[in-house]
Amino acid sequence: MKLLSRANLYYIFFSVITYVIISGSFYLVVERMIYSEVEERLKVERKDFEQFIVTHGMWDESCYFVENKISLKSVADSLTAFAAFKDTLMFNRYSQQLVPFRELSFYSKIGTNLYKVSIRKSLIESNKLLKFITITMLLSLSVGLLLLFLFLRRTSKKLWQPFYETLSKAKLFEVNDGKALDLQKVDIFEFNELNTELEKMTDKISRDYRNLKEFTENASHEIQTPLALINSRVESLIQEKDFKK
């Protein structure tokens, strides 16, 4: 695998992990913020409900809290006070579907009777807002990661171009040419160091090759003279009559 391909693979792997972590964290944070806002509204509605009871001494579903889905359930006096939030589903007669609500339950005394009061607010709009924000963030993050990937890929190719030029010239190097590599100076320190060392190495190889070639040629020339004399002497011995004896 090529270096750039491996680097791109690492980038994609890291980006996917980062993408998942950021997306999940963002979704949870925004969801928590929306829930906090809804719960604050429910707390305000609770105060309004309690104030209404104090003022009128009774509760009428037809007045004031029409949109807030308030329900009362009679409970025993022995129960201790509590307040709790939870998610619930309620059937919508218009859409014929179950609709998500956030519910605040608490005990409230109306006259001499104790009731469990449940105030609910629809989460439809909040969920729509959460989905819209999340999708927008995911699209923006995806585009950002894609643009960053393309930028890094293009930048990496440009940065590594001197290396590939050096590699191409190194592949064409032939020791029998007797010439060292002639590499250009570049703006990157590491590549300049590499080019300098390659020039020194190929220059030494070329000089050693030339010296070895000259030595071999001289040795061959020097050996030819005694070999010629030996060959001449051998031929003379062969031509003598008593050679076979």
Side-chain angles (χ1 to χ4, degrees), residues 42 46 82-86 102-107 117 119:
L42 287 173
R46 175 184 178 177
F82 87 108
F85 291 98
K86 71 173 184 177
R102 189 67 172 167
E103 178 182 281
L104 170 61
S105 298
F106 58 94
Y107 292 142
V117 183
I119 304 178

Side-chain angles (χ1 to χ4, degrees), residues 22-85:
I22 292 178
S23 301
S25 301
F26 181 84
Y27 182 88
L28 294 176
V29 169
V30 174
E31 182 184 48
R32 184 64 260 171
M33 291 176 62
I34 291 176
Y35 269 53
S36 297
E37 178 65 22
V38 172
E39 289 172 1
E40 287 299 322
R41 293 178 183 177
L42 287 173
K43 290 178 181 178
V44 172
E45 297 296 342
R46 175 184 178 177
K47 291 180 180 179
D48 291 340
F49 173 83
E50 292 173 342
Q51 183 62 40
F52 184 89
I53 297 301
V54 171
T55 302
H56 298 86
M58 48 81 68
W59 166 247
D60 184 357
E61 293 184 357
S62 63
C63 59
Y64 192 73
F65 291 102
V66 176
E67 65 176 23
N68 293 323
K69 306 292 182 182
I70 296 180
S71 64
L72 279 72
K73 180 180 179 182
S74 179
V75 295
D77 293 339
S78 59
L79 294 177
T80 57
F82 87 108
F85 291 98

Side-chain angles (χ1 to χ4, degrees), residues 1-177:
M1 183 181 290
K2 292 184 177 180
L3 178 62
L4 287 180
S5 299
R6 184 175 291 275
N8 290 334
L9 184 63
Y10 287 157
Y11 169 79
I12 293 173
F13 178 74
F14 177 77
S15 298
V16 170
I17 294 178
T18 304
Y19 184 86
V20 172
I21 293 175
I22 292 178
S23 301
S25 301
F26 181 84
Y27 182 88
L28 294 176
V29 169
V30 174
E31 182 184 48
R32 184 64 260 171
M33 291 176 62
I34 291 176
Y35 269 53
S36 297
E37 178 65 22
V38 172
E39 289 172 1
E40 287 299 322
R41 293 178 183 177
L42 287 173
K43 290 178 181 178
V44 172
E45 297 296 342
R46 175 184 178 177
K47 291 180 180 179
D48 291 340
F49 173 83
E50 292 173 342
Q51 183 62 40
F52 184 89
I53 297 301
V54 171
T55 302
H56 298 86
M58 48 81 68
W59 166 247
D60 184 357
E61 293 184 357
S62 63
C63 59
Y64 192 73
F65 291 102
V66 176
E67 65 176 23
N68 293 323
K69 306 292 182 182
I70 296 180
S71 64
L72 279 72
K73 180 180 179 182
S74 179
V75 295
D77 293 339
S78 59
L79 294 177
T80 57
F82 87 108
F85 291 98
K86 71 173 184 177
D87 290 330
T88 186
L89 295 174
M90 294 186 64
F91 185 76
N92 189 311
R93 65 177 181 271
Y94 299 107
S95 63
Q96 298 296 309
Q97 293 178 343
L98 291 174
V99 178
F101 278 79
R102 189 67 172 167
E103 178 182 281
L104 170 61
S105 298
F106 58 94
Y107 292 142
S108 181
K109 199 167 187 180
I110 302 177
T112 59
N113 298 320
L114 183 65
Y115 294 88
K116 179 183 178 182
V117 183
S118 297
I119 304 178
R120 307 178 187 92
K121 273 194 172 293
S122 173
L123 293 175
I124 293 179
E125 295 300 324
S126 300
N127 288 341
K128 287 181 179 179
L129 178 62
L130 178 60
K131 290 180 180 178
F132 174 77
I133 294 175
T134 302
I135 291 173
T136 302
M137 187 278 298
L138 292 177
L139 290 176
S140 301
L141 185 59
S142 300
V143 172
L145 290 175
L146 178 61
L147 292 177
L148 182 60
F149 171 75
L150 295 175
F151 171 77
L152 291 176
R153 184 180 179 184
R154 184 178 181 85
T155 304
S156 297
K157 284 185 176 180
K158 185 176 181 180
L159 290 175
W160 282 91
Q161 186 62 33
F163 171 80
Y164 288 113
E165 291 178 357
T166 299
L167 182 62
S168 178
K169 290 183 178 180
K171 289 180 179 179
L172 298 175
F173 173 73
E174 294 289 343
V175 67
N176 53 8
D177 290 342

